[in-house]
Amino acid sequence: MGHDLIRAAIAPVREKIIQHPLYHEMQRMEDIRSFMQYHIFAVWDFMSLLKSLQRNLTCTNLPWVPVGSAATRFLINEIVTGEESDIDPDGKRVSHFELYLDAMKQVGADTSVMEKALLSLQKGVALADVINTFPPAAKAFVQHTFDLIEKAPIYVQAAVFTFGREDLIPDMFVALVNDLDKQFPGQISLFKYYLERHIEVDGDHHSHLGMEMVQELCGTDTSKWEAAAIACREALEQRNALWTGILEEIRATAIIS
């Protein structure tokens, strides 16, 4: 019942994302670069939301004490393993974020803003100051995610992770990337692999684990399911706004070129 409540709440905005005009306009390698230069921030803050779930649903402090249910611990740890240490095309262990950075470098996309942000965070620069260096559309998206991490109950975070953070990249976008991979042999293969891996691992196995996790956390509490549904809809509205920001960037570069 709870899952159906969330699906109904997000259906209109989910459809907006699936039907977004962004996909149709991504016809050039320059468009792929622009897309990735924005999308990398969503790939990164997804990892932070994931670690917030792990921090709250398992014991990450010393000394160890049991936290929550073993079923929920298993679900989140299983997802973390897949996201932080998947395999690249050569069978080497890699996080999905690092795989995405490698894919950006392969297509000639600019990774400097993201890489400088990581260095700044490692040096102890405040998160808010780092986020301020991001492109405007990405900045708003990431800020929303970290506001959620800071303020939302863990069952809401779990629901947004599961229902609001699927990339919702439709088949037409995957087909477009496949076409570009044929048009530019070897230049976009890592991005193609990332998308395929995302669909295979995140879209199937991880989404089922996430749904079980949300069910465990919300149980039969209607108020929790309702709060989760509202938060998921807001998260998808943020995703739609990010897609629109990327589209505007692509159109601007097309005019210039």
Side-chain angles (χ1 to χ4, degrees), residues 17 42 141 165-167 235-243:
I17 294 169
F141 185 89
R165 289 307 302 255
E166 294 178 26
D167 272 351
L236 287 181
E237 289 287 4
Q238 290 290 327
R239 174 58 57 105
N240 188 62
L242 176 63
W243 267 200

Side-chain angles (χ1 to χ4, degrees), residues 10-241:
I10 67 175
V13 64
R14 189 177 189 277
E15 190 62 23
K16 280 199 297 185
I17 294 169
I18 291 172
Q19 300 298 331
H20 202 285
L22 169 67
Y23 313 114
H24 292 294
E25 298 214 18
M26 293 180 63
Q27 301 296 329
R28 310 167 302 157
M29 283 290 286
E30 290 89 342
D31 302 335
I32 293 291
R33 293 186 191 108
S34 292
F35 176 86
M36 297 182 83
Q37 284 163 192
Y38 275 80
H39 188 229
I40 183 63
F41 298 102
V43 176
W44 173 70
D45 78 350
F46 173 88
M47 299 299 292
S48 296
L49 181 57
L50 170 67
K51 298 305 283 188
S52 175
L53 290 172
Q54 188 181 39
R55 183 183 63 189
N56 284 279
L57 296 173
T58 71
C59 180
T60 58
N61 299 314
L62 295 174
W64 181 88
V65 294
V67 173
S69 75
T72 303
R73 294 197 295 267
F74 169 78
L75 293 168
I76 191 59
N77 284 333
E78 177 84 356
I79 296 171
V80 168
T81 298
E83 294 290 347
E84 277 197 321
S85 49
D86 199 8
I87 52 172
D88 70 7
D90 298 322
K92 296 177 182 176
R93 289 292 168 188
V94 67
S95 72
H96 285 183
F97 170 78
E98 290 161 305
L99 176 62
Y100 201 94
L101 274 180
D102 289 342
M104 289 180 71
K105 291 170 183 174
Q106 186 187 49
V107 304
D110 182 8
T111 61
S112 64
V113 178
M114 186 72 256
E115 290 177 328
K116 286 176 184 174
L118 295 176
L119 286 172
S120 295
L121 290 167
Q122 288 166 344
K123 291 176 181 176
V125 176
L127 175 63
D129 293 334
V130 171
I131 292 174
N132 276 333
T133 67
F134 296 172
K139 179 165 65 175
F141 185 89
V142 171
Q143 188 61 60
H144 180 268
T145 300
F146 278 97
D147 285 346
L148 190 84
I149 288 169
E150 182 183 350
K151 300 169 185 174
I154 198 62
Y155 61 85
V156 166
Q157 293 186 42
V160 168
F161 179 89
T162 302
F163 293 93
R165 289 307 302 255
E166 294 178 26
D167 272 351
L168 299 170
I169 296 172
D171 291 340
M172 60 179 149
F173 182 48
V174 176
L176 185 152
V177 170
N178 288 339
D179 288 344
L180 281 171
D181 185 47
K182 292 172 186 173
Q183 187 179 343
F184 304 98
Q187 293 182 46
I188 203 170
S189 59
L190 281 177
F191 187 38
K192 179 173 176 281
Y193 177 84
Y194 169 87
L195 291 172
E196 291 170 346
R197 198 70 187 148
H198 184 86
I199 291 165
E200 180 184 349
V201 178
D202 298 359
D204 184 15
H205 183 52
H206 287 180
S207 65
H208 292 307
L209 292 174
M211 287 179 191
E212 288 183 47
M213 179 171 59
V214 177
Q215 185 66 57
E216 282 268 339
L217 293 171
C218 290
T220 58
D221 189 329
T222 304
S223 65
K224 287 184 177 180
W225 285 107
E226 289 173 348
I230 292 168
C232 289
R233 186 174 65 237
E234 290 173 350
L236 287 181
E237 289 287 4
Q238 290 290 327
R239 174 58 57 105
N240 188 62

Side-chain angles (χ1 to χ4, degrees), residues 22 25-26 28 31 34 246-254:
L22 169 67
E25 298 214 18
M26 293 180 63
R28 310 167 302 157
D31 302 335
S34 292
I246 297 171
L247 177 59
E248 290 170 354
E249 174 71 15
I250 286 173
R251 286 176 173 168
T253 57

